[in-house]
């Protein structure tokens, strides 16, 4: 269907006075005696474009009404004219056609709907300004991630979605099986023998283990795809399906990878600041006052860095009454992370050298024997957005760690082999795309940053 994007019509001032064909959905409309107006949006930009219907031209009142109804899809041929404000243009319709009508039962009426209500209509919520903006930023952010890694000599590799191992060892793996309930099956062995792979399989929680394989041949790689966690927690920060960016770098230690993570976060933040101005202004006004200044600060200033051990001291001295205990050896809870980022540092902070016992099996053990070369990047308002570490590259230490955690050795044969043949220091991290999007847009619930959220008891 030949037509111009509304964004193009607005940007190209040479079109003023000329005839164009545009399409879109009616967001709002107004009807008066001699003239009617429709605010049209085709998804090419946040702002709507005003279409003016002269009633001397559009004499069929019923037909005009159908084209003015909220949610209707229309095609308009008309002349581009100056709008009220200098930078505005509007289109005076000469012909118009109803592509898809809409009724009074259209769920998006002319009022501000709650985010909770909008979650019940995932197929329509993207037609609101808020979600139009969120998903435009999501697209730009993803593009910027690819651009960053491409420009810096990384290869984009694809790790499998179906795996036989649990990378994080947290037991939050969704099972992949073709065998249904069968009362004849008595044991686990019997069950899996008849299953598709002849052994337990699951949806990947992380592409890291395969990423390490690729990095120890290609040098610098990243994966960027969906990952899955059957976490039972119903929080505003956890989704069962989320997108993760996972670079893995050979010949890099923990300090190198912290530098890379910092550089990447700054780069993609700058990209969004430069390419999503209208969207960020909208979020700043409607969702988080000061958002743009915050992001500018992220792009321009240094991140903080603190040792886990020191962070525990800071929390203990805070004078705060936390719900969860603060003790060396215990994991940081959301309330602790929020204190560190929102109140103490007031900017992104890398917490480094966590106790070995609370972190994953693959992390490099520090000489103290108690901690690992791992870090989480915490940001104000959201908490952890990156999980990062240098990997254990010593065969014996890794073997001992896998065994002592009761993990099945045969699942990690290949992974251990990497430490047997040409083992090198290497490091990587995982950035949760939706968490980053929460930080960038000011959305306070992860369900509002992914098109079709999958969370506990929610699958629409
Ligand atoms: O800290 P995590 O568990 O680290 C890993 O999976 C490593 N294998 C990554 C690596 O080193 N290659 O997860 C990484 C990030 C978190 O910091 C968070 O941003 C996001 O993934 N994340 C989630 N996002 C949404 N919902 C969930 N349930 C998430 N779990 C983790
Ligand atoms: Mg983590």
């Amino acid at each position: 269907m030949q037509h111009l994007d509304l964004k193009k019509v607005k940007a190209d001032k040479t079109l003023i006075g000329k005839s164009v064909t545009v399409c879109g959905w009616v967001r709002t409309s107004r009807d008066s005696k001699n003239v009617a107006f429709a605010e049209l949006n085709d998804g090419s930009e946040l702002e709507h474009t005003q279409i003016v219907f002269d009633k001397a031209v559009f004499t069929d009142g019923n037909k005009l009404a159908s084209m003015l109804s909220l949610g209707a899809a229309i095609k308009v041929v008309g002349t581009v004219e100056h709008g009220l404000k200098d930078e505005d243009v509007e289109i005076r319709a000469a012909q118009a056609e109803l592509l898809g009508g809409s009724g009074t039962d259209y769920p998006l009426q002319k009022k501000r709907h709650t985010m909770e209500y909008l979650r019940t209509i995932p197929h329509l919520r993207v037609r609101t300004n808020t979600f139009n903006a969120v998903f435009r930023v999501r697209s730009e952010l993803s593009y910027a991630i690819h651009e960053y890694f491409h420009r810096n000599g990384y290869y984009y590799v694809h790790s499998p979605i179906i795996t036989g191992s649990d990378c994080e060892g947290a037991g939050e793996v969704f099972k992949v099986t073709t065998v249904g309930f069968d009362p004849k099956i008595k044991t686990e062995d019997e069950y899996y023998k008849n299953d598709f792979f002849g052994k337990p399989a699951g949806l990947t929680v992380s592409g890291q283990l395969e990423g390490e394989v690729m990095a120890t041949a290609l040098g610098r790689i990243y994966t960027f795809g969906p990952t899955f966690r059957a976490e039972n927690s119903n929080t505003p920060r956890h989704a069962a399906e989320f997108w993760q960016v996972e670079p893995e770098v050979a010949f890099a230690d923990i300090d190198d990878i912290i530098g890379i993570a910092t550089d990447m976060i700054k780069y993609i933040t700058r990209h969004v600041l430069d390419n999503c101005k209208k969207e960020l202004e909208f979020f700043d006004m409607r969702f988080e006052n000061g958002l743009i200044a915050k992001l500018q600060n992220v792009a321009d200033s240094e991140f903080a860095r603190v040792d886990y051990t020191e962070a525990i001291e800071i929390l203990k001295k805070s004078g705060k009454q936390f719900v969860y205990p603060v003790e060396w050896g215990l994991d940081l809870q959301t309330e602790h992370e929020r204190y560190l980022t929102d109140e103490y540092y007031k900017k992104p902070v890398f917490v480094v050298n966590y106790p070995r016992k609370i972190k994953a099996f693959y992390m490099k053990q520090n000489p103290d024997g108690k901690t690992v070369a791992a870090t989480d990047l915490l940001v104000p308002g959201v908490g952890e957005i990156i999980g990062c570490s240098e990997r254990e590259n010593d065969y014996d230490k890794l073997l001992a760690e896998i065994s002592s955690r009761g993990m099945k050795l045969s699942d990690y044969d290949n992974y251990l082999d990497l430490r047997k043949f040409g083992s090198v220091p290497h490091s990587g991290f995982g950035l949760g795309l939706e968490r980053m999007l929460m930080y960038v847009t000011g959305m306070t619930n992860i369900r509002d940053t992914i098109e079709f959220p999958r969370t506990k008891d929610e699958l629409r």
Side-chain angles (χ1 to χ4, degrees):
M1 197 179 276
Q2 249 198 359
H3 71 286
L4 284 178
D5 281 354
L6 289 168
K7 184 179 180 172
K8 280 229 175 85
V9 173
K10 200 168 286 179
D12 185 354
K13 293 292 181 270
T14 67
L15 288 175
I16 288 177
K18 301 212 173 102
S19 175
V20 295
T21 305
V22 297
C23 300
W25 294 271
V26 175
R27 289 295 195 82
T28 63
S29 59
R30 260 181 315 133
D31 198 0
S32 60
K33 197 155 162 271
N34 299 320
V35 64
F37 303 95
E39 294 287 329
L40 201 65
N41 191 297
D42 65 355
S44 60
E45 66 176 347
L46 185 65
E47 288 170 333
H48 314 324
T49 301
Q50 178 154 284
I51 310 292
V52 185
F53 296 93
D54 202 329
K55 288 197 175 167
V57 179
F58 292 88
T59 50
D60 182 340
N62 285 339
K63 193 178 162 206
L64 183 58
S66 70
M67 292 194 294
L68 293 176
S69 65
L70 297 192
I74 60 173
K75 177 179 167 183
V76 175
V77 182
T79 311
V80 184
E81 296 181 348
H82 281 290
L84 278 184
K85 280 185 278 159
D86 258 4
E87 68 275 18
D88 272 3
V89 298
E90 57 186 35
I91 296 170
R92 186 165 291 271
Q95 296 162 39
E97 183 189 330
L98 182 69
L99 298 174
S102 177
T104 48
D105 55 347
Y106 183 55
L108 297 171
Q109 288 303 313
K110 210 173 163 178
K111 62 169 190 175
R112 203 164 163 181
H113 297 287
T114 65
M115 301 299 266
E116 288 77 13
Y117 169 69
L118 292 171
R119 272 175 225 143
T120 67
I121 45 169
H123 60 305
L124 293 173
R125 70 173 179 169
V126 64
R127 294 194 199 174
T128 62
N129 290 339
T130 300
F131 287 96
N132 227 254
V134 166
F135 295 122
R136 203 169 293 113
V137 174
R138 186 177 168 114
S139 172
E140 279 300 326
L141 199 59
S142 304
Y143 174 78
I145 286 163
H146 282 297
E147 190 177 67
Y148 174 80
F149 287 116
H150 186 76
R151 286 194 175 169
N152 287 285
Y154 289 71
Y155 299 105
Y156 176 35
V157 305
H158 300 104
S159 47
I161 302 283
I162 301 175
T163 65
S165 60
D166 176 3
C167 172
E168 293 307 298
E172 290 155 349
V173 181
F174 279 103
K175 290 194 169 65
V176 173
T177 171
T178 51
V179 179
F181 172 73
D182 183 345
K184 288 199 290 289
I185 301 174
K186 292 284 177 271
T187 67
E188 222 181 330
D189 279 351
E190 223 178 299
Y191 182 96
Y192 289 116
K193 205 169 77 221
N194 292 305
D195 205 354
F196 192 88
F197 296 105
K199 62 182 211 175
L203 296 178
T204 187
V205 299
S206 160
Q208 178 194 324
L209 303 190
E210 294 84 2
E212 286 185 53
V213 169
M214 301 306 282
T216 49
L218 290 170
R220 274 194 296 275
I221 63 93
Y222 71 104
T223 70
F224 187 4
T227 49
F228 309 86
R229 295 196 190 176
E231 265 162 322
N232 215 338
S233 48
N234 200 343
T235 81
R237 308 187 310 149
H238 290 89
E241 179 175 319
F242 63 98
W243 280 61
Q244 219 186 136
V245 189
E246 296 183 87
E248 192 67 36
V249 188
F251 318 112
D253 63 18
I254 185 74
D255 291 329
D256 297 327
I257 199 72
I258 287 176
I260 292 165
T262 308
D263 201 34
M264 183 206 64
I265 294 288
K266 285 175 182 288
Y267 184 91
I268 63 180
T269 303
R270 168 67 49 211
H271 179 94
V272 172
L273 279 166
D274 291 345
N275 293 279
C276 304
K277 284 203 175 74
K278 289 261 155 63
E279 286 76 10
L280 294 186
E281 279 164 17
F282 174 82
F283 293 132
D284 198 314
M285 195 173 67
R286 294 279 284 271
F287 289 92
E288 183 182 328
N289 287 142
L291 176 80
I292 293 176
K294 174 187 89 176
L295 295 179
Q296 237 131 25
N297 217 29
V298 169
D300 297 335
S301 59
E302 284 313 300
F303 296 176
R305 175 175 170 153
V306 64
D307 234 64
Y308 165 89
T309 303
E310 195 190 329
I312 293 294
E313 289 311 310
I314 292 171
L315 289 167
K316 279 187 169 163
K317 286 190 199 134
S318 69
K320 291 255 158 189
Q321 286 294 316
F322 295 115
V323 177
Y324 292 91
V326 175
E327 210 55 64
W328 199 99
L330 298 180
D331 209 355
L332 299 181
Q333 301 296 325
T334 305
E335 55 175 349
H336 308 138
E337 297 180 346
R338 293 296 285 271
Y339 174 78
L340 291 172
T341 52
D342 299 15
E343 295 185 46
Y344 194 85
Y345 289 104
K346 297 191 169 70
K347 60 174 172 175
V349 53
F350 284 102
V351 179
V352 194
N353 297 322
Y354 280 87
R356 175 174 154 197
K357 295 242 161 62
I358 58 170
K359 286 291 185 188
F361 74 96
Y362 52 72
M363 295 177 176
K364 184 164 182 70
Q365 297 171 24
N366 285 327
D368 65 11
K370 294 191 303 193
T371 62
V372 283
T375 181
D376 285 353
L377 177 61
L378 315 178
V379 299
V382 181
E384 176 192 340
I385 62 166
I386 280 180
C388 172
S389 65
E390 184 169 342
R391 320 307 191 187
E392 183 53 78
N393 63 336
D394 181 286
Y395 182 91
D396 295 323
K397 280 190 186 155
L398 187 61
L399 181 71
E401 197 65 24
I402 292 175
S403 311
S404 76
R405 289 181 187 232
M407 297 159 68
K408 208 166 151 202
L409 265 181
S410 58
D411 288 345
Y412 300 89
D413 277 352
N414 292 356
Y415 190 67
L416 277 160
D417 264 6
L418 299 183
R419 279 73 183 166
K420 226 157 72 180
F421 309 117
S423 188
V424 294
H426 62 287
S427 303
F429 67 83
L431 167 72
L433 181 68
E434 291 76 16
R435 297 257 180 102
M436 184 65 193
L437 212 54
M438 287 171 76
Y439 189 49
V440 167
T441 62
M443 292 294 119
T444 52
N445 196 309
I446 197 163
R447 292 164 180 80
D448 301 326
T449 61
I450 184 162
E451 291 84 341
F452 300 94
R454 274 84 178 89
T455 52
K456 181 86 179 82
D457 295 327
E458 280 297 336
L459 183 68
R460 284 178 197 269

